[in-house]
Amino acid sequence: MRHLISFSVFTVIVLSISACSSFSKKIEHNPPPELKIAFIGDQGTGRNAIAVLELIRDEQADMVLHQGDFDYQNDPDLWIKQIDETLGQTFPYFASVGNHDIPDWPGYQLKLLSRLSKIEEATCTGDFGVNSACTYKGIFFVLSGIGTLGLDHIKYLRTALANSSADWKICSWHKNQHLMQVGGKDDEVGWNAYEECRLAGAIIATGHEHSYSRTHLMSNFESQTIASTSNHLLLSKGKSFAFVSGLGGMSIRPQADGLGRHPWWASVYTADQNAQFGALFCSFNLNNNGKEAECYFKDIDGNIVDSFNLTSQLNNS
């Protein structure tokens, strides 16, 4: 798709909306050593949002996966300017649509597609940020608008995940199920999306609630069945984990209804824990082992509040 993006602004949008409803199986390669992804959501603008972007820069992240809700001002120019001035105009930055992005989503999508055209080794198909499948340096991820914008998300997730042979798969969307966050959010996604990604062994990255929380390794999200409480998570088809990384800079919220005390949570960081803004970082191809990764949540004060390791068993015979 990258060679098509340069034709025109109008062509870019049409291609994004209509491209590639079918998929072809392809062999994925390992990420380069210690490829680092920063996961954020619920960003806003100004001092706190910039501090998180500066943290991402200082941690030497190689790309950002943003789980929706950008500047909260319906101003794509302002939002992308903040990113450009901190990370640079060609820094790999991918995003899923959030509910606060809907009023000017075409403008945000255009900014993201323009950026995509400048990112070497990045390929995306489909309706970018809504129903799109992307590969960047050996990492496969689906940018979904489920619960927020668009249709046929479950079918898209199932097909896209099935047709990637990558060791590392990520499902990125904005909203949550009530029990997959620790604040006041309701059921807005449905369990099918969580389960499709779990069956594929894909990491589930979300935002929407303005706090950080991570589950243990799960063998069923709908029934909240824990597969392991180890901080070394073995990802396989049928076992994965989900997280909310919603401390991108907008606000910090408290826990609600005792949700953070449920046994499936491995880590919770909210206003109740005097949380600060930050991001989840994951480095893939750890120590030149393409199936190993390490992750940590770091805030802008330098505190590491969660750390864990991952092993991908997706392609083990």
Side-chain angles (χ1 to χ4, degrees):
M1 178 172 174
R2 291 181 62 255
H3 66 285
L4 297 172
I5 289 175
S6 62
F7 286 170
S8 70
V9 167
F10 177 75
T11 305
V12 164
I13 296 176
V14 170
L15 285 170
S16 170
I17 293 172
S18 63
C20 298
S21 58
S22 61
F23 301 85
S24 58
K25 195 82 170 181
K26 61 180 180 178
I27 302 299
E28 306 286 355
H29 300 288
N30 284 335
E34 301 191 25
L35 177 77
K36 184 178 288 189
I37 302 178
F39 297 90
I40 62 169
D42 309 279
Q43 187 173 54
T45 59
R47 179 171 56 87
N48 294 323
I50 291 170
V52 173
L53 290 172
E54 289 173 341
L55 172 67
I56 290 169
R57 179 197 63 202
D58 294 345
E59 290 297 296
Q60 299 182 318
D62 297 292
M63 62 178 284
V64 168
L65 271 180
H66 189 146
Q67 282 72 60
D69 280 4
F70 304 150
D71 59 290
Y72 292 78
Q73 298 182 54
N74 303 322
D75 192 338
D77 290 325
L78 175 65
W79 176 64
I80 209 71
K81 181 174 182 287
Q82 180 175 257
I83 296 167
D84 288 348
E85 289 181 349
T86 311
L87 298 178
Q89 295 182 1
T90 61
F91 185 87
Y93 203 106
F94 307 88
S96 305
V97 62
N99 55 291
H100 285 282
D101 311 321
I102 292 174
D104 201 358
W105 174 242
Y108 291 113
Q109 189 184 57
L110 177 60
K111 295 293 185 184
L112 288 162
L113 285 168
S114 176
R115 194 179 202 88
L116 176 64
S117 71
K118 304 169 187 175
I119 301 172
E120 296 294 331
E121 299 183 55
T123 60
C124 292
T125 60
D127 186 359
F128 191 91
V130 179
N131 271 326
S132 54
C134 301
T135 300
Y136 180 65
K137 293 190 174 182
I139 305 292
F140 176 83
F141 49 100
V142 180
L143 303 173
S144 178
I146 191 163
T148 302
L149 183 68
L151 301 170
D152 298 324
H153 296 102
I154 300 301
K155 179 181 178 182
Y156 191 91
L157 283 166
R158 182 184 304 125
T159 304
L161 291 165
N163 284 278
S164 170
S165 62
D167 282 321
W168 300 105
K169 301 180 183 183
I170 301 167
C171 294
S172 168
W173 62 70
H174 180 61
K175 289 188 174 182
N176 326 103
Q177 287 292 85
H178 179 65
L179 294 179
M180 290 293 110
Q181 53 87 60
V182 296
K185 301 303 182 184
D186 297 322
D187 289 343
E188 298 182 86
V189 172
W191 290 114
N192 285 345
Y194 285 86
E195 290 298 280
E196 287 293 342
C197 295
R198 176 185 63 81
L199 291 170
I203 298 165
I204 300 171
T206 70
H208 198 38
E209 180 55 29
H210 297 184
S211 60
Y212 171 75
S213 55
R214 171 181 66 90
T215 72
H216 290 297
L217 186 71
M218 307 294 286
S219 57
N220 191 297
F221 286 105
E222 185 170 10
S223 63
Q224 297 85 58
T225 303
I226 301 167
S228 171
T229 58
S230 171
N231 258 3
H232 188 168
L233 285 68
L234 307 180
L235 304 181
S236 61
K237 293 180 179 179
K239 294 180 182 179
S240 189
F241 71 102
F243 66 83
V244 177
S245 185
L247 295 174
M250 183 57 187
S251 68
I252 302 172
R253 293 177 179 151
Q255 294 173 214
D257 302 326
L259 289 172
R261 294 193 295 270
H262 284 303
W264 54 85
W265 292 115
S267 180
V268 171
Y269 191 50
T270 74
D272 291 23
Q273 290 81 32
N274 298 312
Q276 182 57 284
F277 299 104
L280 178 67
F281 298 92
C282 290
S283 296
F284 299 87
N285 194 354
L286 189 64
N287 299 321
N288 285 309
N289 186 333
K291 293 180 176 292
E292 298 291 329
E294 66 176 1
C295 303
Y296 59 95
F297 186 93
K298 189 172 186 177
D299 69 25
I300 59 175
D301 290 336
N303 300 307
I304 295 178
V305 300
D306 185 27
S307 61
F308 54 100
N309 287 75
L310 305 173
T311 297
S312 172
Q313 300 179 327
L314 267 62
N315 292 312
N316 290 4
S317 57

